[in-house]
C-alpha cells in the first residue's frame, strides 16, 4: 500500500498533474468521443461568453462617448408591435437606454449600442471559430470553406438574436434600471442580453460545426 508521499512522487515522475489529466482525458476521448467533444465545445463556449461579458460593457461605454448614441438605427421592419408601432429586426432607437425624448419615445442606444453588440459578438466568434476548429473538432478540412459556412451561420444567428431582442429588450432594461438604477441596471441588462445571445449561439452552432468541421 503506497503512502500519500509516494503517490505524489509517482505523479511528479509521470509528468505532473497536468500530464496525468491529459492522459486521462485522452483515454476518455477515445472511449466517449462524442461526449468529450461536446464537453470541450461547452468549455470553449463558456470561455467565449466570459470574454463577451467583459467586452460588451467596455465597448458600450466607448461608443457611448460618441454622437452615435443620437443616431437612429431601426432597420428591417417586420410587422407591428402590440401598440401598433413598427417592429424592427434591428431596433436601436436614438437616445441613451433608459432615457425618453420629448416625443415620449424611449431611447434604444442608437447606432452606438448596435456597434457595441456586433463588435463584441464578432470578436468572440472569430476566437470561437479558431478554437473550436483546432481544439474541439480538430478539423483538417478547408479553412476557407469552413469560414464561409461559419460566417453564413453567424449572419443568420445575428438576425435571429436581433429579432428576438425586440421582444425582451425594452421590458428587460426597464425592469433592471427601475430596480437597480440607470448605471447598475443597464449593465445587468447588458450582461443578460449577452448571455441570451451566447445561449442561442451555443445551440445553433454546435450541430452546424459538426457538419462543416470535418477531418480528412
Amino acid at each position: 500500500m503506497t503512502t500519500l508521499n509516494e503517490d505524489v512522487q509517482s505523479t511528479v515522475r509521470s509528468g505532473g498533474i497536468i500530464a496525468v489529466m491529459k492522459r486521462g482525458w485522452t483515454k476518455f476521448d477515445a472511449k466517449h468521443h462524442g461526449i468529450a467533444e461536446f464537453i470541450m465545445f461547452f468549455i470553449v463556449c463558456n470561455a467565449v461568453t466570459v470574454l463577451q461579458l467583459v467586452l460588451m460593457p467596455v465597448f458600450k461605454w466607448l461608443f457611448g462617448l460618441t454622437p452615435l448614441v443620437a443616431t437612429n438605427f431601426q432597420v428591417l421592419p417586420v410587422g407591428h408591435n402590440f401598440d401598433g408601432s413598427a417592429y424592427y429586426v434591428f431596433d436601436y432607437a436614438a437616445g441613451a437606454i433608459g432615457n425618453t425624448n420629448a416625443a415620449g419615445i424611449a431611447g434604444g442606444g442608437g447606432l452606438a449600442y448596435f456597434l457595441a453588440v456586433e463588435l463584441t459578438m464578432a470578436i468572440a466568434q472569430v476566437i470561437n471559430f479558431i478554437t473550436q476548429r483546432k481544439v474541439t473538432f480538430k478539423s483538417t478540412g478547408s479553412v476557407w470553406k469552413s469560414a464561409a459556412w461559419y460566417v453564413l451561420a453567424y449572419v443568420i444567428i445575428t438576425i435571429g438574436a436581433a429579432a428576438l431582442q425586440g421582444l425582451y429588450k425594452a421590458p428587460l432594461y426597464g425592469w433592471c434600471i427601475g430596480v437597480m438604477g440607470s448605471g447598475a441596471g443597464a449593465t445587468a441588462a447588458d450582461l443578460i442580453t449577452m448571455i441570451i445571445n451566447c445561449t442561442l449561439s451555443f445551440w445553433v452552432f454546435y450541430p452546424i460545426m459538426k457538419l462543416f468541421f470535418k477531418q480528412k
Side-chain angles (χ1 to χ4, degrees):
M1 184 175 182
T2 60
T3 64
L4 177 60
N5 186 52
E6 289 173 336
D7 288 338
V8 172
Q9 291 178 356
S10 176
T11 300
V12 172
R13 286 195 299 270
S14 63
I17 296 177
I18 295 179
V20 172
M21 293 176 62
K22 186 176 181 179
R23 286 196 295 271
W25 176 257
T26 301
K27 292 179 180 179
F28 178 81
D29 187 19
K31 292 182 179 179
H32 311 283
H33 178 69
I35 297 175
E37 187 177 76
F38 184 81
I39 292 174
M40 185 57 67
F41 179 83
F42 180 79
I43 292 172
V44 173
C45 281
N46 276 276
V48 171
T49 297
V50 172
L51 175 64
Q52 291 185 77
L53 296 179
V54 172
L55 290 178
M56 176 60 189
V58 174
F59 285 137
K60 184 185 175 185
W61 174 75
L62 288 174
F63 283 112
L65 300 176
T66 71
L68 295 177
V69 176
T71 302
N72 192 66
F73 189 78
Q74 293 174 301
V75 297
L76 299 180
V78 285
H80 297 82
N81 293 303
F82 293 115
D83 61 1
S85 60
Y87 185 95
Y88 296 95
V89 172
F90 295 98
D91 189 6
Y92 300 90
I97 294 177
N99 292 346
T100 304
N101 62 20
I105 300 175
L111 184 58
Y113 187 88
F114 170 78
L115 292 176
V117 172
E118 296 307 317
L119 184 57
T120 297
M121 292 183 65
I123 292 174
Q125 293 308 325
V126 168
I127 295 174
N128 192 49
F129 172 81
I130 296 172
T131 308
Q132 299 287 16
R133 183 176 182 273
K134 287 294 185 181
V135 178
T136 303
F137 296 95
K138 301 178 178 63
S139 176
T140 55
S142 170
V143 63
W144 297 112
K145 184 177 180 180
S146 297
W149 281 108
Y150 193 91
V151 170
L152 177 61
Y154 171 71
V155 171
I156 294 174
I157 290 174
T158 298
I159 294 175
L164 181 63
Q165 193 178 93
L167 297 175
Y168 67 82
K169 180 180 175 182
L172 173 64
Y173 277 85
W175 183 83
C176 288
I177 291 174
V179 173
M180 293 177 277
S182 58
T187 299
D190 289 340
L191 298 181
I192 294 173
T193 298
M194 281 293 100
I195 291 173
I196 292 173
N197 289 339
C198 292
T199 301
L200 178 63
S201 298
F202 177 88
W203 290 110
V204 173
F205 268 127
Y206 183 71
I208 292 177
M209 287 182 177
K210 289 281 289 183
L211 290 176
F212 60 66
F213 280 160
K214 300 292 185 180
Q215 294 183 3
K216 291 183 179 179

